[in-house]
Amino acid sequence: MGVRLRTRQGGRRVDLALGLLLLTGVVTGLSANTVGVDWPLDLIQLHAAGALAILLLAPWKYVVIRRGLRRPGRRPAVKWLSITLALLVLTTIASGLIHSTGHLEDVGPLTLMQIHVGAAVTALAVLAAHFGTHVVRPRRADVDRRAMLRLAALAAGAAAATTLWDRGPGDGRRFTGSVPKPDLLVTSWLDDSIQHIDPAQWTLRVGPTTFDLTALHDLPHERFTAVLDCTSGWYTEQQWDGVRLSVLLAAAGVPRNGWRTVEARSATGYSRWFGAATLTNVWLVTAVADRPLSYGHGFPARIVAPGRRGFWWVKWVTSIQPSARPPWAQPVFPLT
């Protein structure tokens, strides 16, 4: 009886630790994929450490799964949920680690980052179903001295493994986890298709004023360097030519008060709101690397927002309008 109780207790602790690590992975992954500035808290390091900690726990979880599969009377659905969850978690970790090396990008029609995110989201759904059929509740005994020592050993092992990985295959990643690219790739948010806009027909509405491309080029442009860090898992540093949104609004005769944000809207309907205090560091650009933007990169004009992830960099901009809407009154990730 004592051995059985210890075995069950060990299995419960493994399940609780894995559940906590999976949730930590989701939080750190989403945060690293959203934040564009280098925080003192290294989110991607925590994300990687959580993944490697799961791998360190894998042998113990294998014993738990094998014991559960052999248990008489166990429902087939519960067994398949356990197997499916294990496969999804391993797929998530493997795709993330391989992506961090920068040596492989695509698997068939999907990118490794799409596989990584898709497997993680599916794993969460399966995890919720698994816990619904097999509830594991924390107990006071789960935080005894022996459990804390094991947890500390697991954390130390994960930290050491993360350091070794970053000095080896994972070297070169940005603090967001993105890998470097020498060229600017063509990507779009969700199903935004590339727009082939006739420059002679294009106009930009800014407050009460409408600019054509010639009028936009007549505004005071600056050349600057900024890093585009795409949520697809890559980043590139390029030289851009454009006009600050603060200068653009002033040229359009937009008053400096009475509004809190400006909405940059694409020809596709995609949009993001930028706070009034940030507009000196948000640009409307027409050229990159001494060449006009291509259609895939947002011709005739796109937003460049240094310190923000790629989904803020609105392409094919046709409207920039002041609004009373506060900056926080928009989803962290665009929904369309």
Side-chain angles (χ1 to χ4, degrees):
M1 175 65 72
V3 173
R4 180 182 297 178
L5 286 175
R6 285 196 297 271
T7 303
R8 289 181 179 177
Q9 182 78 347
R12 288 182 65 265
R13 286 175 174 173
V14 169
D15 285 343
L16 287 172
L18 285 173
L20 180 61
L21 287 170
L22 286 173
L23 290 176
T24 300
V26 171
V27 172
T28 54
L30 283 174
S31 299
N33 211 33
T34 305
V35 176
V37 295
D38 194 1
W39 283 4
L41 180 63
D42 199 329
L43 296 170
I44 203 63
Q45 289 287 84
L46 291 176
H47 189 65
L52 293 171
I54 291 174
L55 290 181
L56 292 176
L57 280 176
W60 285 271
K61 182 57 180 176
Y62 170 75
V63 173
V64 174
I65 292 176
R66 187 178 62 179
R67 187 173 66 242
L69 293 176
R70 292 177 177 177
R71 188 178 303 161
R74 192 73 179 267
R75 289 179 295 171
V78 176
K79 295 180 180 180
W80 281 110
L81 279 174
S82 297
I83 294 173
T84 302
L85 179 59
L87 292 175
L88 286 169
V89 170
L90 290 176
T91 300
T92 302
I93 294 173
S95 58
L97 291 177
I98 295 171
H99 170 267
S100 71
T101 67
H103 297 315
L104 181 65
E105 297 178 11
D106 304 308
V107 179
L110 299 176
T111 66
L112 275 175
M113 186 54 62
Q114 288 172 330
I115 294 172
H116 180 70
V117 174
V121 171
T122 308
L124 279 179
V126 175
L127 179 66
H130 182 64
F131 269 80
T133 59
H134 180 63
V135 178
V136 181
R137 295 186 176 88
R139 297 174 182 171
R140 185 172 298 178
D142 293 329
V143 291
D144 61 16
R145 182 173 177 272
R146 180 177 295 178
M148 291 297 98
L149 288 174
R150 289 174 177 172
L151 188 61
L154 177 64
T162 304
T163 301
L164 290 174
W165 182 265
D166 283 341
R167 291 180 178 177
D171 187 31
R173 294 181 302 163
R174 201 165 186 251
F175 60 86
T176 57
S178 298
V179 296
K181 296 293 178 184
D183 301 317
L184 184 62
L185 306 183
V186 176
T187 58
S188 296
W189 184 256
L190 298 181
D191 60 349
D192 255 7
S193 59
I194 294 177
Q195 302 295 297
H196 292 79
I197 296 174
D198 182 354
Q201 301 296 322
W202 177 83
T203 59
L204 173 70
R205 185 74 175 174
V206 183
T209 305
T210 299
F211 296 88
D212 60 15
L213 193 54
T214 300
L216 179 61
H217 282 149
D218 287 340
L219 294 178
H221 280 53
E222 299 177 57
R223 182 166 296 177
F224 63 100
T225 299
V227 173
L228 172 54
D229 193 336
C230 183
T231 51
S232 298
W234 56 270
Y235 75 92
T236 183
E237 185 176 78
Q238 298 291 334
Q239 192 173 69
W240 309 84
D241 289 272
V243 57
R244 298 176 190 266
L245 290 197
S246 56
V247 174
L248 179 61
L249 266 69
V254 176
R256 294 187 179 182
N257 50 27
W259 46 275
R260 302 174 67 178
T261 58
V262 295
E263 180 201 32
R265 179 169 290 273
S266 169
T268 66
Y270 180 89
S271 63
R272 296 301 285 170
W273 277 263
F274 298 89
T278 69
L279 300 185
T280 56
N281 197 38
V282 181
W283 310 71
L284 186 70
V285 306
T286 56
V288 59
D290 293 325
R291 295 181 179 179
L293 295 170
S294 67
Y295 289 119
H297 293 144
F299 179 83
R302 71 174 296 168
I303 293 293
V304 166
R308 300 178 191 247
R309 299 304 297 274
F311 61 83
W312 288 89
W313 297 39
V314 183
K315 296 180 179 179
W316 312 293
V317 176
T318 58
S319 172
I320 297 177
Q321 293 296 327
S323 170
R325 179 175 182 166
W328 49 263
Q330 64 180 324
V332 175
F333 287 106
L335 302 179
T336 57

